[in-house]
Amino acid sequence: MELHNVWFVLIAVLWIGYFFLEGFDFGIGVLTKLLARDRVEKRVLINTIGPVWDGNEVWLLTAGGATFAAFPEWYATLFSGFYLPLLIILVCLIVRGVAFEYRVKRPEENWQRNWEQAIFWTSLIPAFLWGVAFGNIVRGVKIDAEMEYVGTFWDLLNPYALLGGLVTLTLFTFHGAVFASLKTVGDIRVRARALALKLGLVTAVLALAFLIWTQVDTGDSWSLGAMLVAVVALVGAIGAIRVGREGWSFALSGVTIAAAVAMLFLALFPDVMPSSLDPEWSLTVTNASSSPYTLKIMTWCAAIATPLVLLYQSWTYWVFRKRIGTQHIADAH
């Protein structure tokens, strides 16, 4: 396999890792309004991701850096054409990180409530916009012969991409609800399981429509296989949470995310950013890639650094693996 194809696969893996981990992370943020009944329960939910949320974002930084180094033309066209939605996502991630840290710096109720509102909105908006962005990447956008995006922001808000945004929002929230049921004890755990079941049914309807649309438009036999895995895994996740098997449900919801993202990349290949104006103007793994020497150096660096990152992050999840509940929350000042 040629190195530019290898790096296309590696970037797909990085996005799978990001959406798997940050998916339940965003979901927990959304659930601070949908699930928590009071501020103590909000603190329980936030504490379930407190030790890991910032580590989850490393996958995004790595995916962006790998795209910049391996496919500079893809990176340039993507970040110039999708400037506004990606800027909104970036601002949300910054505010979200500040909210996690600043929320407990002062004891006033208004102060903490405002930062909790920020956590909700800065989790919901990126969860939706990532689906919109990837929907447009797979569908194709207005790219001219100079590899430049010539469309407008409003061109990105098409029905297919908006459906993709709804799918990522509901899927991440379902993933987060399953994670909440896996990481909590008491009444909040019971309600998280009940909410996860409802969210799973809504997600199944939206995801099935989006995946079928994708397969009909741009899919092949490989993407069809990934789509079937995603559908079966989602049904299994819903069934597992229904009978109270949170661990299995979480694993299967993760497989759903992985298979769905894999399907999008399989439907995209060998393009990295199709042109809706003329297929000849599309960015591909060949015309958008860096030099073979650059890719070779990157491959050696990735082979050394990636296992270390995986070991460290796995250790973090192992250390903070226990469940928590309202009884573990210290009294407010």
Side-chain angles (χ1 to χ4, degrees), residues 257-270:
I257 292 173
V261 176
M263 180 196 176
L264 296 182
F265 275 89
L266 287 168
L268 188 60
F269 185 82

Side-chain angles (χ1 to χ4, degrees), residues 17-69:
Y18 175 66
F19 286 140
F20 178 91
L21 296 173
E22 193 83 326
F24 71 76
D25 200 323
F26 286 143
I28 290 293
V30 175
L31 290 173
T32 56
K33 270 193 176 296
L34 299 185
L35 179 62
R37 289 178 173 174
D38 52 40
R39 295 196 56 251
V40 174
E41 289 191 349
K42 287 183 180 181
R43 291 172 66 188
V44 170
L45 290 176
I46 293 171
N47 285 0
T48 62
I49 59 172
V52 298
W53 68 266
D54 48 354
N56 294 343
E57 293 183 355
V58 170
W59 290 80
L60 173 62
L61 299 175
T62 309
T67 304
F68 172 77

Side-chain angles (χ1 to χ4, degrees), residues 23-24 26-28 30-31 34 127 167-179 195-196 199 203:
F24 71 76
F26 286 143
I28 290 293
V30 175
L31 290 173
L34 299 185
V167 170
T168 52
L169 175 58
T170 54
L171 181 56
F172 291 169
T173 308
F174 168 68
H175 195 42
V178 175
F179 182 76
L195 181 58
L199 288 169
T203 302

Side-chain angles (χ1 to χ4, degrees), residues 1-139:
M1 184 183 291
E2 297 184 15
L3 283 179
H4 53 253
N5 292 335
V6 170
W7 274 97
F8 180 84
V9 173
L10 291 177
I11 288 172
V13 170
L14 290 171
W15 281 108
I16 288 172
Y18 175 66
F19 286 140
F20 178 91
L21 296 173
E22 193 83 326
F24 71 76
D25 200 323
F26 286 143
I28 290 293
V30 175
L31 290 173
T32 56
K33 270 193 176 296
L34 299 185
L35 179 62
R37 289 178 173 174
D38 52 40
R39 295 196 56 251
V40 174
E41 289 191 349
K42 287 183 180 181
R43 291 172 66 188
V44 170
L45 290 176
I46 293 171
N47 285 0
T48 62
I49 59 172
V52 298
W53 68 266
D54 48 354
N56 294 343
E57 293 183 355
V58 170
W59 290 80
L60 173 62
L61 299 175
T62 309
T67 304
F68 172 77
F71 299 100
E73 295 289 350
W74 183 12
Y75 183 92
T77 304
L78 176 65
F79 278 77
S80 59
F82 291 25
Y83 180 82
L84 183 55
L86 292 179
L87 177 62
I88 293 172
I89 290 173
L90 178 61
V91 171
C92 284
L93 294 179
I94 293 172
V95 173
R96 189 167 180 264
V98 172
F100 281 130
E101 298 297 333
Y102 275 44
R103 179 180 58 89
V104 294
K105 297 301 183 183
R106 289 172 55 179
E108 291 89 343
E109 185 174 346
N110 285 340
W111 171 272
Q112 296 191 7
R113 185 187 298 113
N114 290 338
W115 285 118
E116 287 163 359
Q117 289 276 2
I119 290 172
F120 169 76
W121 287 109
T122 55
S123 299
L124 184 148
I125 293 171
F128 175 75
L129 288 180
W130 278 127
V132 173
F134 270 83
N136 278 291
I137 292 173
V138 174
R139 172 179 174 268

Side-chain angles (χ1 to χ4, degrees), residues 193-206:
R193 277 169 32 191
L195 181 58
L197 183 59
K198 297 176 183 177
L199 288 169
L201 296 174
V202 174
T203 302
V205 174
L206 294 173

Side-chain angles (χ1 to χ4, degrees), residues 141-154:
V141 292
K142 295 179 179 179
I143 299 174
D144 64 13
E146 303 299 323
M147 297 184 179
E148 295 182 1
Y149 178 75
V150 293
T152 66
F153 170 75
W154 303 108

Side-chain angles (χ1 to χ4, degrees), residues 112-297:
Q112 296 191 7
R113 185 187 298 113
N114 290 338
W115 285 118
E116 287 163 359
Q117 289 276 2
I119 290 172
F120 169 76
W121 287 109
T122 55
S123 299
L124 184 148
I125 293 171
F128 175 75
L129 288 180
W130 278 127
V132 173
F134 270 83
N136 278 291
I137 292 173
V138 174
R139 172 179 174 268
V141 292
K142 295 179 179 179
I143 299 174
D144 64 13
E146 303 299 323
M147 297 184 179
E148 295 182 1
Y149 178 75
V150 293
T152 66
F153 170 75
W154 303 108
D155 292 327
L156 303 178
L157 303 180
N158 54 80
Y160 175 77
L162 292 175
L163 177 60
L166 291 176
V167 170
T168 52
L169 175 58
T170 54
L171 181 56
F172 291 169
T173 308
F174 168 68
H175 195 42
V178 175
F179 182 76
S181 69
L182 183 65
K183 287 287 292 179
T184 58
V185 294
D187 181 60
I188 192 171
R189 176 188 176 190
V190 175
R191 286 187 283 110
R193 277 169 32 191
L195 181 58
L197 183 59
K198 297 176 183 177
L199 288 169
L201 296 174
V202 174
T203 302
V205 174
L206 294 173
L208 187 60
F210 179 73
L211 294 179
I212 291 175
W213 192 345
T214 303
Q215 180 63 27
V216 170
D217 272 2
T218 59
D220 56 17
S221 58
W222 289 97
S223 62
L224 177 60
M227 184 190 83
L228 294 177
V229 171
V231 171
V232 171
L234 181 56
V235 172
I238 295 171
I241 199 66
R242 186 174 182 273
V243 297
R245 301 298 297 270
E246 295 108 337
W248 278 104
S249 183
F250 181 71
L252 289 169
S253 66
V255 171
T256 302
I257 292 173
V261 176
M263 180 196 176
L264 296 182
F265 275 89
L266 287 168
L268 188 60
F269 185 82
D271 293 334
V272 294
M273 217 168 165
S275 172
S276 60
L277 299 178
D278 187 334
E280 295 296 323
W281 297 343
S282 297
L283 302 182
T284 68
V285 293
T286 304
N287 66 20
S289 69
S290 293
S291 67
Y293 181 75
T294 300
L295 296 177
K296 184 178 180 180
I297 296 298

